[in-house]
Amino acid sequence: MKAVVIHAAGDLRIEEQQIEALGADDIRVAVRAGGICGSDLHYYQHGGFGAVRLCEAMVLGHEVAGVVEAVGDGVTTVGVGDHVAINPSLPCGACEYCLAGLPNHCNDMRFYGSAMRNPHVQGAFRQQLVCKASQAVKVPAALSFTSAAFGEPLAVCLHAVTRAGSLLGKRVLISGAGPIGALAALAARYAGAQEVVVVDLLDEPLAILERAGVDRVHNVAERPEQLAPYRAGKGYFDVTFEASGSRSGLASAIEMARPRGVIVQIGLGGDLDVPMGRVVAKELELKGSFRFHEEFAWAVGCIASGVIDVTPLLSAVIPIEDADAAFQLAGDRRRSMKVQLTF
Amino acid sequence: MKAVVIHAAGDLRIEEQQIEALGADDIRVAVRAGGICGSDLHYYQHGGFGAVRLCEAMVLGHEVAGVVEAVGDGVTTVGVGDHVAINPSLPCGACEYCLAGLPNHCNDMRFYGSAMRNPHVQGAFRQQLVCKASQAVKVPAALSFTSAAFGEPLAVCLHAVTRAGSLLGKRVLISGAGPIGALAALAARYAGAQEVVVVDLLDEPLAILERAGVDRVHNVAERPEQLAPYRAGKGYFDVTFEASGSRSGLASAIEMARPRGVIVQIGLGGDLDVPMGRVVAKELELKGSFRFHEEFAWAVGCIASGVIDVTPLLSAVIPIEDADAAFQLAGDRRRSMKVQLTF
Amino acid sequence: MKAVVIHAAGDLRIEEQQIEALGADDIRVAVRAGGICGSDLHYYQHGGFGAVRLCEAMVLGHEVAGVVEAVGDGVTTVGVGDHVAINPSLPCGACEYCLAGLPNHCNDMRFYGSAMRNPHVQGAFRQQLVCKASQAVKVPAALSFTSAAFGEPLAVCLHAVTRAGSLLGKRVLISGAGPIGALAALAARYAGAQEVVVVDLLDEPLAILERAGVDRVHNVAERPEQLAPYRAGKGYFDVTFEASGSRSGLASAIEMARPRGVIVQIGLGGDLDVPMGRVVAKELELKGSFRFHEEFAWAVGCIASGVIDVTPLLSAVIPIEDADAAFQLAGDRRRSMKVQLTF
Amino acid sequence: MKAVVIHAAGDLRIEEQQIEALGADDIRVAVRAGGICGSDLHYYQHGGFGAVRLCEAMVLGHEVAGVVEAVGDGVTTVGVGDHVAINPSLPCGACEYCLAGLPNHCNDMRFYGSAMRNPHVQGAFRQQLVCKASQAVKVPAALSFTSAAFGEPLAVCLHAVTRAGSLLGKRVLISGAGPIGALAALAARYAGAQEVVVVDLLDEPLAILERAGVDRVHNVAERPEQLAPYRAGKGYFDVTFEASGSRSGLASAIEMARPRGVIVQIGLGGDLDVPMGRVVAKELELKGSFRFHEEFAWAVGCIASGVIDVTPLLSAVIPIEDADAAFQLAGDRRRSMKVQLTF
């Protein structure tokens, strides 16, 4: 079985690995599509992010879908031949956070392709993946594997939308039009936002979102004056999803937020210089959003039923033999939104 | 009538001014006690804070209590001789924020002794104050004017506590033991917090809070190791009131907060470098709290009924003739918590 | 000018009335479409509901749209020829509830065609209506007046949906498929509900909702066994909108609600026998929802932009000359969902 | 070992039973005090309540405290000689509700002295109780066992208070001055309520609460006119704890609630006739509150530290030999508030 293994920044290899043994509660999935995520890119480009650093070789990948090709003796929920999206997070189910209904804060979380713990949790960019049957969500055979593999990043965004409180009738800003910002825009519209506005520094991802039906897009590098109306008075937006992770993105979001506005920060970032005086005077609410849990099956369901159409975000599908080229493309925001691998 | 007027940083004068005319809805109050607030100190020490700068001479002060000595023709709610605490905020009652139940975000707010608008709103450190009858909250004659003058800063803290959501049964951290941090500690205990812990860089204010009955105090400059247990695992505190306005205070609060913890930032500050990666990974909630409104009468009531005892926080009462010395003292956190003027 | 006037139960007359004078802030609207609401029907069938009884002749109607045919001197927001939907509620803007952001609880509310106060507030079923310009929301000329006249009942439902908290990803039950239940179903889907199920005692309104795209409908009179799966375990639905106003509807909703589920009661009703033991043991939340305010413009916007399609709910459009027949039809749930008048 | 066993309504016996075997995670507690609860009384007086009926002999009791006299091999958290209060609820820790942070809705809950499941869960009115070490909360040896045995009903009330949302600064009504209403009053004051008013039909329990320091009490049977000011306008109370379980108590609470007011129903009841028209028009929120979980240790802590003083509520302490007399006394609200047994 071939797997996509990162050894250090810039050192990505396709390696032959043993297929893991199948336990009673396990299934074996022939992986068919796997999306490259921002954290995969960070490992590839920088060997990690913040305090999280690669200490050993690690299979990348956590956005995958495929076909079940074997099931353990105790498995009743899925069968051979089923098409499935795989939830890459496996909380322990027994710690204080799991019992408090917060499994995404599990003290013993295992999350595919993550160097947060040592030894690292190996990822899902591999031809055969052995996982718990409970991680699999069935999808219709008619759904493409590439769409099904959007389940994980969409779950991240549905979690962020849930963290924001009701969006119904709200004015929503998306700061940063990468894959997470883009899916957050689709999720916000689905959640009944009255207006969804997206800002970024590049025209290419904004053009994709314009075609995907958001209300307005603004290139704040080229046309910063377009934001003036949102800054007028005490601000305009009820809710912001900050997915740029940049100081200027967050500061601008704070400037355009209404009193009592909510700003949800998604995605891992480092230290940011925050204009706290404005946060205080407008009584804003800055909330972190981290991963997901029950949102995974829901996200897959939204894709399967078509109520959220992710296809405009898929830029390219590339065989793992060309993984290096795929990661290069995924790192160029002018040329790609979401790049997926096939196995 | 004498008033305490700031002309520029360091230039504080006692000046003779005309008593204002009494309108039909107005009352005239002989001011008896007035607390020096952090913003008064900023004007005195630096001529302003952030973008708010003195552009003209301004009477300072917004924490006052006194005796009614005249009432306008239309006034029925208070009478001559009544002891009153004065609400220094006067929202317009007609803008979108007033009609949304958010008068502290009023588009046309008048707040005593504030250079936020031009011309500045003159303050209440004066022998005779003419104000709207609706700004006065009656207090028992048996209550000292000095205690009554704590109504305003306590209202700030009750508002912050309200912003935090229920504190009942929660573990609460107070970061910064100045007058606002100290009153927030008293308010948190009153709100049913299970544990109230205060941290600061100086022993003197912490000693005052220890006597006032908080559960634990820690001098983080002298004994930083005492915080280690709060940082263990994913953190300890459910709710933090950050009143230090410092980068290290906020960063430390973030480190000690539990997943989904709430951090309320009180008081005006500048830009702060925030470890957003931790905010995201623990899904914390950073909320600004700004001034107050309906909390004013409630705060005065808590002081009058004795359910919150502010007397341990009063360090000195000084006649306005020595206002300069009073401001010097108020600026020295080793020697004072709250300094008040008499008129 | 002709108006539709109720004198007593069953005594509906088309009467000639004077057109009212036009004040500076007023507009005059040629009414083109007006929907018959449940409360109109109650006046027609029973002379009132609960403690609210007709004490004098009253023009009915509060769901109207039309064309502006004159504007007062001070009006700048709409012009002659504009197509508008009219907000029938006029809160005072000055009482404690208006200032708390709760204008639907205004102490001095004027609401068209309501006998809640004496003298009654005359309604909008008239050929020429003089109202405040602030009550008018412009709609595109391409939008039909009949669709625009759905703005008011949709606002009622958007308010109810807002009262329920976020519906995103939730399982939603609609109890009662009258016009309010039907619009609540559309609003719930728009708000991102994962599943919308509607129950009623009649097939005809359920068939309309099935065509309008809800997930499932059940005739509980004919096929009560279909509800069994929803009652299994501790219940199924996260949120219920109870629009039947019946004892059995509410009791059944309680039975099918999950622990901590929310049940929003919409519409005026009398005393109901409630199984409080189940409400306690499952820790349910029963919430009333009453009218709307800021939701009106938003509802009209949803109709105008097409994100909510109300046209499947319109059963008949009848000239006021046949108002009696129109009210008869509106009272027969087998033959009609929403009946509108033309003027 | 002697135990207090109910066989049928009115048939209460003191029986000799075997002491249970001690497992590795278990402790054996010599029970010293046990409070008689309303549900114990229902079994004694009526053989059950609602659909819950006695089908076999059952040891009563779930409000107990005592001394540890033996511990299993695996127990490290408590030791022989420790004084403990015992949490009578044992959720499974593995079902969907346990994993959602709602263990009080556990699908496989075991709760002492409850006929909700068959075979019934035997209770704690016995001389020696074997339970999980995790059910024990240590109390200081200086605390009386009778006070410690108030931990369970106080936990019920802290849970109810938590369900209500923040009480800070709120006007609170307690409807019904039985032991649960009384403890809810103490909990509400502890939670920072601005005003706590208690109503009942009898003077005796109201007198106890007046001495315990609530703001006002009203006998609504004798002096119903005292409630008139609370009904004026649209109502007065922000939050109500309804602990009478009576139709008139709930209807009166609805009448006295402000728009958007919250009414928490505590305690098991049957069907009640509810004026839903008022619930709708004032947009009230009726919430059930059922048992507790994490609140148990917190309640015990509040009693141990003295921040909540339960001693005014203890009416009598009676040896189990006179259990019948104790139950008679507990059933007479004119002569008793809380009656406890000793073993």
Side-chain angles (χ1 to χ4, degrees):
Chain A
M1 171 197 76
K2 290 199 174 70
V4 180
V5 182
I6 186 83
H7 285 255
D11 181 2
L12 188 72
R13 307 182 200 169
I14 308 305
E15 294 181 349
E16 195 67 28
Q17 294 197 345
Q18 290 283 3
I19 297 179
E20 294 166 286
L22 191 72
D25 299 335
D26 293 341
I27 60 172
R28 193 170 69 236
V29 176
V31 177
R32 294 292 175 81
I36 297 173
C37 166
S39 68
D40 296 318
L41 267 177
H42 270 91
Y43 290 119
Y44 176 75
Q45 293 172 337
H46 313 294
F49 43 88
V52 178
R53 316 303 310 179
L54 279 175
C55 303
E56 56 179 329
M58 182 176 79
V59 178
L60 287 175
H62 53 269
E63 306 178 357
V64 302
V67 183
V68 177
E69 58 178 32
V71 303
D73 291 343
V75 173
T76 56
T77 50
V78 288
V80 171
D82 282 346
H83 292 206
V84 291
I86 300 300
N87 184 338
S89 82
L90 200 59
C92 75
C95 74
E96 64 176 315
Y97 295 107
C98 282
L99 287 171
L102 299 173
N104 59 328
H105 296 290
C106 171
N107 278 328
D108 194 26
M109 169 65 88
R110 299 184 63 80
F111 196 96
Y112 283 167
S114 164
M116 277 198 188
R117 56 191 288 169
N118 282 299
H120 302 340
V121 183
Q122 298 297 314
F125 283 171
R126 55 175 89 197
Q127 289 175 320
Q128 267 89 16
L129 173 72
V130 172
C131 66
K132 298 287 165 203
S134 62
Q135 294 175 257
V137 172
K138 277 195 271 191
V139 297
L143 186 72
S144 67
F145 293 109
T146 51
S147 284
F150 273 92
E152 198 273 349
L154 181 58
V156 168
C157 294
L158 288 177
H159 183 71
V161 162
T162 302
R163 287 282 293 150
S166 177
L167 293 193
L168 192 63
K170 302 286 176 62
R171 294 163 168 177
V172 173
L173 173 68
I174 310 288
S175 167
I180 289 296
L183 287 166
L186 302 186
R189 207 178 41 176
Y190 169 62
Q194 197 169 170
E195 215 175 87
V196 178
V197 176
V198 186
V199 297
D200 197 291
L201 303 173
L202 296 176
D203 281 334
E204 290 82 353
L206 291 173
I208 293 172
L209 280 165
E210 204 161 22
R211 286 194 300 272
V214 304
D215 294 287
R216 280 188 299 288
V217 301
H218 301 291
N219 182 322
V220 294
E222 305 287 331
R223 293 171 292 282
E225 73 284 359
Q226 292 183 343
L227 302 188
Y230 304 125
R231 279 195 222 98
K234 299 195 169 191
Y236 185 85
F237 292 104
D238 299 300
V239 178
T240 298
F241 296 96
E242 212 302 300
S244 78
S246 70
R247 194 253 167 232
S248 60
L250 180 54
S252 174
I254 287 171
E255 214 53 51
M256 295 189 285
R258 283 169 63 84
R260 295 276 171 106
V262 172
I263 298 176
V264 177
Q265 182 79 44
I266 331 176
L268 296 167
D271 289 16
L272 288 184
D273 203 39
V274 178
M276 288 300 289
R278 304 301 295 151
V279 171
V280 170
K282 294 206 280 188
E283 298 195 311
L284 302 181
E285 213 169 313
L286 249 73
K287 284 175 155 179
S289 182
F290 186 60
R291 293 179 178 164
F292 56 87
H293 189 63
E294 68 275 27
E295 292 91 352
F296 183 78
W298 171 29
V300 173
C302 288
I303 294 170
S305 72
V307 294
I308 295 184
D309 176 13
V310 296
T311 54
L313 309 189
L314 181 62
S315 308
V317 182
I318 296 175
I320 51 168
E321 288 72 24
D322 301 325
D324 221 82
F327 274 74
Q328 293 286 348
L329 178 62
D332 181 349
R333 299 186 58 234
R334 284 196 186 278
R335 291 193 299 136
S336 75
M337 175 65 83
K338 174 61 78 181
V339 176
Q340 292 188 352
L341 298 172
T342 53
F343 300 83
Chain B
M1 172 198 73
K2 290 199 173 68
V4 180
V5 182
I6 186 82
H7 286 255
D11 181 3
L12 188 71
R13 307 181 199 169
I14 309 304
E15 294 181 350
E16 195 67 30
Q17 294 197 347
Q18 289 282 4
I19 298 178
E20 293 167 287
L22 191 73
D25 300 333
D26 293 340
I27 61 173
R28 193 170 69 236
V29 177
V31 177
R32 292 294 174 81
I36 297 173
C37 168
S39 68
D40 296 319
L41 267 177
H42 269 92
Y43 290 120
Y44 176 74
Q45 294 172 336
H46 312 294
F49 43 88
V52 178
R53 317 301 311 177
L54 280 174
C55 302
E56 57 178 329
M58 182 176 79
V59 179
L60 287 175
H62 53 269
E63 305 178 356
V64 302
V67 183
V68 178
E69 57 177 33
V71 303
D73 292 343
V75 173
T76 57
T77 51
V78 288
V80 172
D82 282 346
H83 291 206
V84 290
I86 300 300
N87 184 339
S89 83
L90 200 59
C92 75
C95 74
E96 62 176 320
Y97 294 107
C98 283
L99 286 172
L102 300 172
N104 60 328
H105 295 291
C106 171
N107 279 329
D108 195 28
M109 169 65 87
R110 300 184 64 79
F111 196 96
Y112 283 167
S114 165
M116 277 197 188
R117 54 191 288 168
N118 281 297
H120 302 341
V121 183
Q122 299 296 315
F125 282 172
R126 55 174 89 196
Q127 289 174 319
Q128 267 89 16
L129 174 71
V130 172
C131 67
K132 297 289 165 203
S134 61
Q135 293 176 257
V137 173
K138 277 196 271 192
V139 296
L143 185 73
S144 68
F145 293 111
T146 53
S147 284
F150 272 92
E152 199 272 349
L154 181 58
V156 168
C157 294
L158 288 176
H159 183 72
V161 162
T162 302
R163 285 282 294 149
S166 176
L167 294 193
L168 192 64
K170 301 285 176 64
R171 296 162 166 177
V172 174
L173 172 68
I174 310 288
S175 168
I180 288 295
L183 288 165
L186 301 185
R189 208 178 41 176
Y190 168 63
Q194 197 169 171
E195 216 176 86
V196 178
V197 176
V198 185
V199 298
D200 197 291
L201 304 173
L202 297 175
D203 281 335
E204 291 81 354
L206 290 174
I208 293 172
L209 278 165
E210 205 161 22
R211 287 195 299 274
V214 304
D215 294 285
R216 282 187 300 287
V217 301
H218 302 292
N219 182 322
V220 295
E222 304 288 331
R223 292 171 293 282
E225 71 285 358
Q226 292 183 343
L227 302 189
Y230 304 125
R231 278 194 224 100
K234 298 196 170 190
Y236 187 85
F237 292 105
D238 299 301
V239 179
T240 298
F241 295 96
E242 213 301 302
S244 78
S246 71
R247 195 254 168 230
S248 61
L250 179 55
S252 175
I254 286 170
E255 214 52 52
M256 296 189 285
R258 282 169 63 83
R260 295 276 171 104
V262 172
I263 298 175
V264 177
Q265 182 79 45
I266 332 176
L268 295 168
D271 289 15
L272 287 183
D273 202 39
V274 178
M276 289 300 289
R278 304 300 296 151
V279 171
V280 169
K282 295 206 279 187
E283 298 195 311
L284 303 180
E285 213 168 310
L286 251 72
K287 283 175 157 179
S289 182
F290 186 60
R291 293 181 178 159
F292 56 87
H293 189 63
E294 68 276 26
E295 292 91 353
F296 183 78
W298 172 29
V300 172
C302 287
I303 295 170
S305 72
V307 294
I308 294 183
D309 177 14
V310 296
T311 55
L313 309 190
L314 182 61
S315 308
V317 182
I318 296 175
I320 52 167
E321 287 71 25
D322 301 325
D324 221 79
F327 274 72
Q328 293 286 348
L329 179 61
D332 182 349
R333 299 186 57 234
R334 284 195 187 279
R335 292 194 297 137
S336 75
M337 175 66 84
K338 174 61 77 181
V339 176
Q340 291 188 354
L341 299 172
T342 53
F343 299 84
Chain C
M1 170 196 75
K2 290 200 173 68
V4 180
V5 182
I6 186 82
H7 285 255
D11 181 3
L12 188 71
R13 308 182 199 168
I14 309 305
E15 295 181 350
E16 195 66 30
Q17 295 198 345
Q18 289 283 5
I19 297 179
E20 293 168 287
L22 191 73
D25 300 333
D26 292 342
I27 60 173
R28 192 171 69 236
V29 176
V31 177
R32 293 293 174 82
I36 297 173
C37 167
S39 68
D40 296 318
L41 268 177
H42 270 91
Y43 291 118
Y44 176 74
Q45 293 172 336
H46 312 294
F49 44 89
V52 177
R53 316 303 309 178
L54 279 174
C55 302
E56 57 179 329
M58 182 176 79
V59 178
L60 287 174
H62 53 269
E63 307 179 355
V64 303
V67 183
V68 178
E69 59 177 32
V71 303
D73 291 344
V75 174
T76 57
T77 49
V78 287
V80 171
D82 282 346
H83 292 206
V84 291
I86 300 300
N87 184 339
S89 83
L90 201 59
C92 74
C95 74
E96 61 175 318
Y97 295 107
C98 283
L99 287 172
L102 299 173
N104 59 328
H105 296 290
C106 171
N107 279 329
D108 194 27
M109 170 65 87
R110 300 184 64 80
F111 195 96
Y112 284 166
S114 165
M116 279 198 186
R117 54 192 289 168
N118 280 299
H120 302 342
V121 183
Q122 299 296 315
F125 283 171
R126 55 175 89 197
Q127 289 175 320
Q128 266 89 16
L129 174 72
V130 171
C131 67
K132 298 289 166 201
S134 62
Q135 293 175 259
V137 172
K138 277 195 273 191
V139 296
L143 186 73
S144 68
F145 293 111
T146 52
S147 285
F150 273 92
E152 199 270 351
L154 181 58
V156 168
C157 294
L158 288 176
H159 183 72
V161 163
T162 301
R163 287 281 294 148
S166 176
L167 293 193
L168 192 63
K170 301 285 176 63
R171 294 161 169 178
V172 174
L173 173 68
I174 309 288
S175 168
I180 289 295
L183 288 165
L186 301 185
R189 208 179 41 177
Y190 168 63
Q194 198 170 168
E195 217 175 86
V196 178
V197 176
V198 185
V199 297
D200 197 291
L201 304 172
L202 297 176
D203 282 334
E204 291 82 354
L206 291 174
I208 293 172
L209 279 166
E210 204 162 21
R211 286 195 300 272
V214 304
D215 294 286
R216 281 187 299 288
V217 301
H218 302 290
N219 183 322
V220 295
E222 304 288 332
R223 293 171 291 282
E225 72 284 359
Q226 293 184 342
L227 302 189
Y230 304 125
R231 279 195 221 98
K234 299 196 169 191
Y236 187 85
F237 292 105
D238 300 299
V239 178
T240 298
F241 297 95
E242 212 302 300
S244 79
S246 70
R247 195 255 168 232
S248 61
L250 179 55
S252 174
I254 286 171
E255 214 52 53
M256 295 189 285
R258 283 169 62 84
R260 296 276 170 104
V262 171
I263 299 175
V264 177
Q265 182 80 45
I266 332 176
L268 296 167
D271 289 15
L272 288 184
D273 203 40
V274 177
M276 288 301 288
R278 304 301 295 151
V279 171
V280 169
K282 295 207 279 188
E283 297 195 310
L284 303 181
E285 214 169 311
L286 250 73
K287 285 177 156 179
S289 181
F290 186 60
R291 292 179 179 163
F292 57 85
H293 190 64
E294 69 275 27
E295 292 91 353
F296 183 78
W298 172 29
V300 172
C302 288
I303 295 170
S305 72
V307 294
I308 295 183
D309 177 13
V310 297
T311 53
L313 310 189
L314 181 62
S315 309
V317 182
I318 295 176
I320 51 168
E321 287 72 23
D322 301 325
D324 221 82
F327 275 73
Q328 295 286 348
L329 179 62
D332 182 348
R333 298 186 57 234
R334 285 196 186 276
R335 292 194 297 137
S336 74
M337 174 67 82
K338 173 63 75 182
V339 176
Q340 292 188 352
L341 299 171
T342 53
F343 300 83
Chain D
M1 169 196 77
K2 290 200 174 71
V4 180
V5 182
I6 186 82
H7 285 254
D11 181 1
L12 189 71
R13 308 181 199 169
I14 309 304
E15 296 181 349
E16 196 66 30
Q17 295 198 345
Q18 289 283 5
I19 297 179
E20 293 167 287
L22 191 72
D25 300 334
D26 291 342
I27 61 174
R28 192 170 70 235
V29 176
V31 177
R32 294 292 174 81
I36 297 172
C37 166
S39 68
D40 296 318
L41 268 177
H42 270 91
Y43 290 119
Y44 176 74
Q45 294 172 336
H46 312 294
F49 43 89
V52 177
R53 315 304 309 178
L54 280 174
C55 303
E56 57 179 330
M58 182 176 79
V59 179
L60 287 175
H62 53 269
E63 307 179 355
V64 303
V67 183
V68 178
E69 58 177 34
V71 304
D73 292 343
V75 173
T76 57
T77 50
V78 288
V80 171
D82 282 346
H83 291 206
V84 291
I86 300 300
N87 184 339
S89 82
L90 200 59
C92 74
C95 74
E96 63 176 317
Y97 295 108
C98 284
L99 287 171
L102 299 172
N104 59 328
H105 296 291
C106 172
N107 278 328
D108 194 26
M109 169 66 87
R110 299 184 64 80
F111 196 96
Y112 284 167
S114 164
M116 278 198 187
R117 54 192 288 167
N118 281 300
H120 302 341
V121 183
Q122 299 296 315
F125 283 172
R126 54 175 90 197
Q127 289 175 319
Q128 266 88 16
L129 174 72
V130 172
C131 67
K132 298 288 165 203
S134 61
Q135 292 175 259
V137 173
K138 278 196 271 193
V139 297
L143 186 72
S144 68
F145 293 111
T146 51
S147 285
F150 272 93
E152 198 270 351
L154 181 57
V156 168
C157 294
L158 288 177
H159 183 72
V161 162
T162 302
R163 286 282 294 149
S166 177
L167 293 192
L168 192 64
K170 301 285 175 63
R171 296 160 167 178
V172 173
L173 172 68
I174 310 288
S175 168
I180 289 295
L183 287 165
L186 301 185
R189 207 179 41 178
Y190 169 63
Q194 198 169 170
E195 215 175 88
V196 178
V197 176
V198 185
V199 298
D200 197 291
L201 303 173
L202 297 175
D203 282 334
E204 292 82 353
L206 290 173
I208 293 173
L209 279 166
E210 204 162 21
R211 288 196 299 274
V214 305
D215 293 286
R216 281 188 299 288
V217 302
H218 302 290
N219 183 323
V220 295
E222 304 288 332
R223 294 171 290 283
E225 72 285 358
Q226 293 183 342
L227 301 188
Y230 305 124
R231 278 196 222 98
K234 299 197 171 191
Y236 185 85
F237 293 105
D238 299 301
V239 179
T240 297
F241 296 95
E242 212 301 302
S244 78
S246 70
R247 195 254 169 231
S248 61
L250 179 55
S252 176
I254 287 171
E255 214 52 53
M256 296 190 285
R258 284 168 62 84
R260 295 274 171 106
V262 172
I263 298 175
V264 177
Q265 182 79 44
I266 332 176
L268 296 168
D271 289 15
L272 288 182
D273 203 38
V274 177
M276 288 299 290
R278 304 301 295 152
V279 171
V280 169
K282 295 207 277 188
E283 298 195 312
L284 302 181
E285 212 168 313
L286 250 73
K287 283 175 156 180
S289 181
F290 185 60
R291 295 181 177 160
F292 56 85
H293 189 65
E294 68 276 26
E295 292 91 354
F296 183 78
W298 171 30
V300 173
C302 288
I303 294 170
S305 72
V307 295
I308 295 183
D309 177 14
V310 296
T311 55
L313 310 189
L314 182 62
S315 308
V317 181
I318 295 175
I320 52 167
E321 287 72 23
D322 300 325
D324 222 80
F327 274 73
Q328 295 285 348
L329 179 62
D332 182 347
R333 299 186 57 233
R334 285 195 185 277
R335 292 194 297 136
S336 74
M337 175 67 83
K338 174 61 77 180
V339 176
Q340 292 188 353
L341 299 172
T342 53
F343 299 82

